[in-house]
Amino acid sequence: MVNDKVRVPDLARMKAARTPIAMLTAYDYPFARIFDQAGIDVLLIGDSLGMVVQGADSTLPVTLGEIIYHVKMVVRGRQRALVVADLPFLTYQVSVEQALRNAGRLIKEGGAEAVKLEGGITMAETIRRLVDIDIPVMGHIGLTPQSVHRMGGHRVQGRQSGNGPGCRERLLEDALAVEQAGAFSLVLEGIPAELAREITDRAAIPTIGIGAGAACDGQVLVMHDVLGLSEAFVPRFAKPYANLWQDASAAAASYIREVRERAFPAAEHTYGASRGKGARPS
Ligand code: KIV
């Protein structure tokens, strides 16, 4: 583990040293602080917030302003982790100028240290221009949630059977194009493990997998999947390490019961008329 502040070049060092990179999404101050103190290397303010925080059925409605709002909270909560912010749908695909301006806002207004965008060969020029003005870029290929309609759902990519002939080769070309354009790392989402291994072996930049097997240089998960904060559906590739949905639900039920039974507030939660009598110390 890197003990000091994690910076963009550290990820390349971690790949060289074969130290796995641990990345999680975070969307607010308390969770950023919890993950940072636990030793996470990278915090991603993902546009997944559209689904797990806002309750939408895709990431498409998320706006740049919403990402900036959440980046600010995460930045306040972290000391060590590298903070990467997603460019949401239609904030970078229209033109290179649009991408430069909006990525710049994530850095300048939000305080992110790098941006992430989805796409391979078609995004290479945009990545190159961002890197030219010193905005570090994390690429993202494979199952790219902003392409949900083209893919016909959130489907595994790079399978000859499901995605047609040549899809494997296209993903390899995408990975190399993103690397050659100057991205410092690459998220591989929802692709077969052997393909992720091949990309990881061939790419000089670190790969960070989600639903892409164990051979990637790092792993990323959505915090709600790790903490068991989703009501029902847990994707196959995710592993819940806690069940906060159940814990929160039990806590809320206990509170409601105690209010109804007048068991809360008890004397120790109540201010007295004089100082020191049941009052919080000032
Ligand atoms: O939006 C997001 O959280 C992501 C990760 C799942 C990689 O892109």
Side-chain angles (χ1 to χ4, degrees):
M1 185 173 104
V2 181
N3 289 317
D4 300 330
K5 171 81 187 79
V6 181
R7 300 182 192 281
V8 165
D10 290 320
L11 267 55
R13 286 187 204 115
M14 290 172 83
K15 177 172 176 118
R18 297 187 180 279
T19 306
I21 299 160
M23 168 164 150
L24 272 176
T25 66
Y27 313 99
D28 63 17
Y29 173 83
F31 282 112
R33 206 159 160 70
I34 290 167
F35 300 154
D36 192 73
Q37 288 180 356
I40 200 76
D41 299 311
V42 185
L43 286 171
L44 170 69
I45 300 85
D47 58 1
S48 51
L49 75 86
M51 299 175 80
V52 296
V53 176
Q54 297 174 338
D57 61 4
S58 79
T59 61
L60 301 182
V62 175
T63 66
L64 189 76
E66 287 165 350
I67 294 277
I68 291 173
Y69 172 78
H70 287 275
V71 174
K72 286 181 180 170
M73 295 183 234
V74 168
V75 166
R76 281 183 214 122
R78 80 71 225 258
Q79 290 190 315
R80 175 183 170 275
L82 180 73
V83 171
V84 181
D86 254 349
L87 276 162
F89 178 61
L90 223 56
T91 65
Y92 60 98
Q93 294 96 335
V94 175
S95 66
V96 170
E97 284 65 32
Q98 184 207 32
L100 298 183
R101 215 170 284 288
N102 289 334
R105 288 189 61 195
L106 291 175
I107 306 278
K108 194 179 170 95
E109 294 173 38
E113 294 158 295
V115 302
K116 178 167 80 56
L117 57 80
E118 297 181 9
I121 295 173
T122 52
M123 280 298 135
E125 178 57 16
T126 301
I127 296 173
R128 192 167 296 115
R129 293 280 300 279
L130 285 166
V131 173
D132 277 351
I133 62 163
D134 291 335
I135 295 182
V137 178
M138 177 178 280
H140 183 164
I141 62 168
L143 191 173
T144 45
Q146 292 175 21
S147 317
V148 61
H149 296 310
R150 173 180 58 74
M151 295 183 302
H154 293 99
R155 295 181 191 286
V156 173
Q157 301 295 297
R159 274 183 182 153
Q160 221 83 305
S161 51
N163 312 120
C167 60
R168 232 187 114 79
E169 292 68 26
R170 261 198 309 281
L171 275 176
L172 267 166
E173 287 164 14
D174 278 337
L176 297 178
V178 168
E179 176 185 333
Q180 279 157 18
F184 71 97
S185 58
L186 177 61
V187 169
L188 301 177
E189 178 166 357
I191 65 172
E194 335 82 70
L195 177 57
R197 175 184 293 280
E198 189 173 348
I199 293 174
T200 302
D201 289 347
R202 288 177 61 174
I205 56 174
T207 61
I208 302 175
I210 171 163
C216 297
D217 298 304
Q219 297 291 327
V220 56
L221 283 177
V222 170
M223 57 161 272
H224 290 62
D225 294 334
V226 170
L227 300 181
L229 262 172
S230 309
E231 191 172 7
F233 175 72
V234 178
R236 178 194 156 98
F237 57 79
K239 177 173 172 186
Y241 289 82
N243 193 339
L244 295 196
W245 186 282
Q246 211 173 329
D247 292 350
S249 160
S254 299
Y255 168 73
I256 294 163
R257 184 176 30 79
E258 290 200 359
V259 167
R260 291 198 176 132
E261 290 169 355
R262 297 192 183 279
F264 176 85
E268 67 266 32
H269 310 118
T270 306
Y271 294 117
S274 55
R275 257 171 162 266
K277 262 248 148 196
R280 263 180 216 269
S282 53

